Amino acid sequence: MATKTSRASKAPAYKCAECGWTTVKWVGRCGECQAWGSVEETGAAVARTTAATTVLEPARRIAEVDATTAAFLPTGVDELDRVLGGGLVPGAVILLAGEPGVGKSTLLLDVAAKFARTAQDVLYVTGEESAAQVKLRAERIDAVADSLYLSAETDLGQALGQVEKIEPRLLIVDSVQTLSSADVDGSAGGVSQVREVAASIIAAAKRRNMTTLLVGHVTKDGSIAGPRLLEHLVDVVCQFEGERHSRLRMLRAVKNRYGPTDDVGCFDLNEKGIEGLTDPSGLFVSRTKEPVSGTCITVTMEGRRPLLAEVQSLLAESPNSQPRRATSGLDSSRVSMLLAVLQQRAGLLLHKDDSYVATVGGVKLSEPATDLAVALAVASAKARKPLPIRLIAFGEVGLAGEVRPVPGINQRIQEAHRLGFTHAVVPASHNGPGPVPAGFTVREVEHLTEALSLLIG
């Protein structure tokens, strides 16, 4: 059999520590991931060409491949299963990232206990806490199970040894930045260490058909810390989000090889632990017995999930020449635009009023479909006339005052009807709002003035 030899180039090679991009000369900024200061000299560039070897396992027709070994395994946490597309896939590696204190460890400890109660062995490797500290948290949130094993390790070799000994069905590593390998230079959390730790754990997971959950830290700008290569190696990347002063937590899939990436899981983080919220709309809607001016309910879409949220507005005559514009949970520039549209297109004199516009429950609304609800809340506060209690409104408002259609109109109407609302103000569209539930009234509007005259006069 003829063999091919490899030949090394004399020119030095430089490689990006973040994404692995290579170049023959040093540059200050990576040409692939645009990271600054990440290009380092790695030695001579070597062109490798290998000869064909004997095939140990022949390729099979895709129709003959047995897919039952990759069936979803429910975790016992419905909101996590929703985001993952049905549950855990054997052999899959999932990266869970989030800010410190958001509840990543609490969520995974709850998942580990519920999965272990199905007679499956689970290994929880913690590098940030002692075993006693994790045990205290497990007792507080009722996450103690006989098949749940706990190991406090920071050495990669020791952690892999625990895997060899226990042979778990589910492995949880908290976190990937705390483990280090004695065979690689650098401190734990460095680029080379994170790359080695992730590659070794992923190889073990694929070889043993073992589902693995990795916890990852994030940087100040919210991106996942470590090399970008880490996100490419894993099968699923999830972001765990939430405000520090709010109980609501949201889980989103940024990358998912086994399911959709447009679904959202909602959780309630409280003193008893973390609980999935099948109906989180109650956190975003105030409970008042009498109607109050300056409030409007809208329906926003978080991925494929409709959520009800309340927008509140308060106007007060300003003693200053330049009125104050304050927002919370909304885009301040978009609210300023809507105030200008209300004044120029609807004739509301707002240039002398301080305006305060906020959401209830700390939810952040960035979807343009909330424009109509914001405009109606401000107009209601200006007229000091409350809107009907069981009314929702959604639609995008343009600079000309037109109300533009938004996706998922019928889905939003169905969700509002399910929660007891009876009226909706929606943008007019060619296809209409779709099938309307019995007893539910839908008013289609094409301009902002139509909605204002219909509700406020």
Side-chain angles (χ1 to χ4, degrees):
M1 180 182 295
T3 60
K4 298 181 180 180
T5 60
S6 62
R7 183 178 61 183
S9 172
K10 295 182 180 180
Y14 297 87
K15 186 176 183 180
C16 175
E18 293 288 335
C19 65
W21 177 73
T22 58
T23 179
V24 295
K25 64 178 181 178
W26 182 87
V27 291
R29 188 177 189 181
C30 174
E32 180 68 23
C33 65
Q34 306 301 318
W36 287 96
S38 62
V39 179
E40 302 172 350
E41 185 176 357
T42 59
V46 179
R48 296 183 178 90
T49 304
T50 59
T53 59
T54 304
V55 177
L56 300 178
E57 184 178 353
R60 292 177 292 172
R61 293 183 176 88
I62 190 171
E64 299 174 356
V65 176
D66 184 13
T68 57
T69 57
F72 286 105
L73 299 175
T75 63
V77 181
D78 295 338
E79 292 299 300
L80 177 61
D81 292 343
R82 174 201 293 267
V83 176
L84 297 179
L88 301 176
V89 176
V93 180
I94 302 168
L95 177 63
L96 178 65
E99 296 181 355
V102 75
K104 303 184 298 296
S105 301
T106 303
L107 172 63
L108 293 185
L109 189 58
D110 183 56
V111 171
K114 291 181 177 178
F115 194 79
R117 287 168 186 158
T118 62
Q120 306 282 356
D121 289 339
V122 179
L123 175 60
Y124 190 102
V125 178
T126 174
E128 299 182 348
E129 299 175 282
S130 65
Q133 291 173 331
V134 177
K135 173 67 180 302
L136 289 176
R137 188 171 71 250
E139 290 178 342
R140 179 174 58 87
I141 65 175
D142 190 22
V144 179
D146 293 336
S147 300
L148 175 57
Y149 296 86
L150 183 61
S151 175
E153 294 287 352
T154 57
D155 182 74
L156 176 61
Q158 293 290 330
L160 293 177
Q162 296 284 1
V163 172
E164 293 282 345
K165 183 178 180 181
I166 299 174
E167 297 183 353
R169 191 73 182 272
L170 173 63
L171 171 66
I172 298 177
V173 179
D174 186 10
S175 65
V176 69
Q177 278 89 359
T178 58
L179 292 181
S180 61
S181 173
D183 299 330
V184 178
D185 296 333
S187 59
V191 173
S192 58
Q193 286 287 356
V194 171
R195 183 186 293 112
E196 175 66 19
V197 169
S200 301
I201 293 177
I202 291 173
K206 301 300 182 183
R207 184 175 64 255
R208 295 178 169 274
N209 207 27
M210 171 185 63
T211 306
T212 304
L213 290 167
L214 303 177
V215 176
H217 295 165
V218 297
T219 59
K220 292 182 179 180
D221 60 356
S223 59
I224 300 175
R228 292 294 301 273
L229 183 66
L230 181 61
E231 300 179 48
H232 295 289
L233 289 176
V234 299
D235 302 306
V236 182
V237 179
C238 294
Q239 287 278 2
F240 203 42
E241 307 168 353
E243 294 292 334
R244 184 175 296 273
H245 304 291
S246 174
R247 292 168 47 181
L248 176 69
R249 299 293 186 266
M250 288 191 175
L251 182 67
R252 307 173 189 272
V254 181
K255 169 189 174 182
N256 191 353
R257 291 175 177 167
Y258 311 112
T261 58
D262 56 353
D263 219 331
V264 178
C266 298
F267 297 87
D268 180 18
L269 184 65
N270 51 49
E271 62 277 0
K272 296 181 180 180
I274 192 165
E275 301 175 357
L277 294 175
T278 56
D279 191 7
S281 298
L283 296 176
F284 312 139
V285 179
S286 62
R287 298 174 176 86
T288 56
K289 295 182 180 180
E290 299 295 333
V292 181
S293 62
T295 65
C296 185
I297 309 296
T298 187
V299 184
T300 182
M301 297 294 294
E302 289 289 345
R304 295 182 299 173
R305 188 173 192 172
L307 297 176
L308 264 70
E310 181 174 342
V311 179
Q312 295 183 342
S313 175
L314 178 64
L315 300 179
E317 186 176 353
S318 177
N320 305 319
S321 58
Q322 293 183 345
R324 185 179 180 184
R325 302 287 189 255
T327 61
S328 176
L330 295 161
D331 185 7
S332 58
S333 59
R334 195 161 190 89
V335 172
S336 298
M337 180 198 74
L338 291 173
L339 294 176
V341 172
L342 284 170
Q343 179 157 316
Q344 292 298 114
R345 305 300 183 186
L348 296 183
L349 300 180
L350 305 173
H351 60 284
K352 294 183 179 181
D353 294 333
D354 290 334
S355 65
Y356 304 89
V357 186
T359 59
V360 173
V363 64
K364 291 185 178 180
L365 302 179
S366 58
E367 192 185 16
T370 61
D371 289 351
L372 185 57
V374 174
L376 290 177
V378 173
S380 173
K382 181 65 176 179
R384 297 185 179 180
K385 181 179 180 181
L387 299 174
I389 293 181
R390 301 191 179 279
L391 170 84
I392 64 163
F394 55 85
E396 181 182 358
V397 178
L399 292 178
E402 78 279 11
V403 181
R404 300 173 181 173
V406 295
I409 292 180
N410 187 258
Q411 191 175 358
R412 299 173 200 255
I413 292 175
Q414 297 292 339
E415 178 68 9
H417 176 261
R418 187 182 69 85
L419 295 176
F421 289 81
T422 57
H423 295 76
V425 179
V426 304
S429 61
H430 297 292
N431 299 328
V436 178
F440 198 92
T441 304
V442 176
R443 299 292 182 90
E444 295 185 88
V445 295
E446 296 181 351
H447 198 271
L448 180 60
T449 54
E450 295 182 39
L452 295 179
S453 61
L454 181 66
L455 299 175
I456 299 176

